Amino acid sequence: MNVLIVDDHAIVRQGLRQILLESGKVMLIGEAGCGAEAMRQLRDGEWNVVVLDISLPDRNGIEVLKQIKKECPKIPVLMLSMHEEGLYAIRALKAGASGYLTKQSAPSELMAAIHQVSRGRKYLTTTLAEAMADNLGIDHDRAPHESLSDREYQTLRLIASGKSLTDAAEEMCLSVKTVSVYHARLLEKMRLKNNAELTHYAIKNGLA
């Protein structure tokens, strides 16, 4: 099995590499520190599974996921993130991910997830399965933040966590002007007047 690890932290990639090597079931391990490098390696090599981080320096992981599924639809993608399942997991699965794990997961769970998705199956933790069940059939009455684009959603979470527009722009590797546009759009879509209301909404809905 050939596995491509996409994470911007070298120490995380090294840890994942060690886990995969110790399993004795992975023939080739590739590494990429950003979305652009991940796509280059996907086009040049043959991979059975991609382990993809949500937070990347050049692009949001959900955006990279969508591009992977567009160019290489048969390659399963396992999302691995520091964020709790409730924050990004359902969004990732809707975008085409085969599974979602937090970085707090045990090595044995990571290997179980990789083997599961490599066979063309979904890997859902109990928590995620319950969250998905709760979300079934609610599109007609979905929460306001569900209408946001991935970038608008990311902006929402960063502002709600206390980041300024400048800080958010730096973390998202975008201009302040661009993030300001996302900020204005999300306030309009969610019918919120200011950051105070935005933060209150985020806390109430477990987004911050």
Side-chain angles (χ1 to χ4, degrees):
M1 182 164 52
N2 299 341
V3 179
L4 176 62
I5 302 169
V6 186
D7 194 292
D8 60 328
H9 294 97
I11 193 168
V12 173
R13 296 198 303 271
Q14 182 60 35
L16 293 173
R17 172 181 283 274
Q18 191 61 35
I19 292 171
L20 295 174
L21 287 173
E22 290 177 356
S23 73
K25 297 179 181 179
V26 178
M27 294 180 60
L28 178 65
I29 303 171
E31 296 183 24
C34 64
E37 174 62 16
M39 295 311 303
R40 187 189 69 77
Q41 291 210 43
L42 278 166
R43 295 177 188 124
D44 293 344
E46 295 185 6
W47 305 99
N48 302 106
V49 177
V50 176
V51 178
L52 176 64
D53 188 13
I54 286 281
S55 302
L56 296 171
D58 57 342
R59 299 172 64 189
N60 179 273
I62 300 292
E63 294 178 353
V64 177
L65 167 65
K66 289 178 178 178
Q67 186 175 358
I68 292 174
K69 300 313 293 183
K70 181 179 180 180
E71 295 190 24
C72 313
K74 294 184 179 180
I75 298 179
V77 180
L78 175 66
M79 305 302 292
L80 187 65
S81 172
M82 63 180 288
H83 301 293
E84 294 180 3
E85 291 173 325
L87 300 179
Y88 279 108
I90 294 177
R91 186 176 287 260
L93 290 170
K94 287 181 177 180
S98 294
Y100 186 103
L101 281 181
T102 66
K103 290 182 179 178
Q104 290 74 35
S105 302
S108 59
E109 186 170 19
L110 171 65
M111 289 310 306
I114 288 175
H115 283 296
Q116 183 97 328
V117 301
S118 72
R119 295 195 294 267
R121 301 174 63 186
K122 298 287 187 183
Y123 183 86
L124 304 178
T125 63
T126 301
T127 302
L128 182 52
E130 291 175 351
M132 290 193 69
D134 290 341
N135 275 269
L136 288 175
I138 63 170
D139 282 351
H140 63 284
D141 189 28
R142 63 182 181 175
H145 67 271
E146 288 293 325
S147 67
L148 301 179
S149 70
D150 294 324
R151 281 300 196 186
E152 290 165 353
Y153 181 72
Q154 188 179 17
T155 302
L156 164 68
R157 293 203 58 245
L158 289 172
I159 298 300
S161 69
K163 301 278 189 182
S164 66
L165 285 177
T166 301
D167 292 336
E170 183 176 344
E171 185 160 334
M172 295 167 72
C173 298
L174 298 172
S175 69
V176 176
K177 182 178 180 180
T178 299
V179 176
S180 295
V181 172
Y182 289 137
H183 180 240
R185 284 178 183 170
L186 74 89
L187 289 178
E188 181 179 357
K189 285 183 178 180
M190 298 177 67
R191 298 183 181 180
L192 300 174
K193 296 178 181 178
N194 50 46
N195 286 348
E197 290 188 359
L198 182 156
T199 302
H200 176 73
Y201 177 93
I203 293 173
K204 181 180 178 181
N205 289 274
L207 305 177

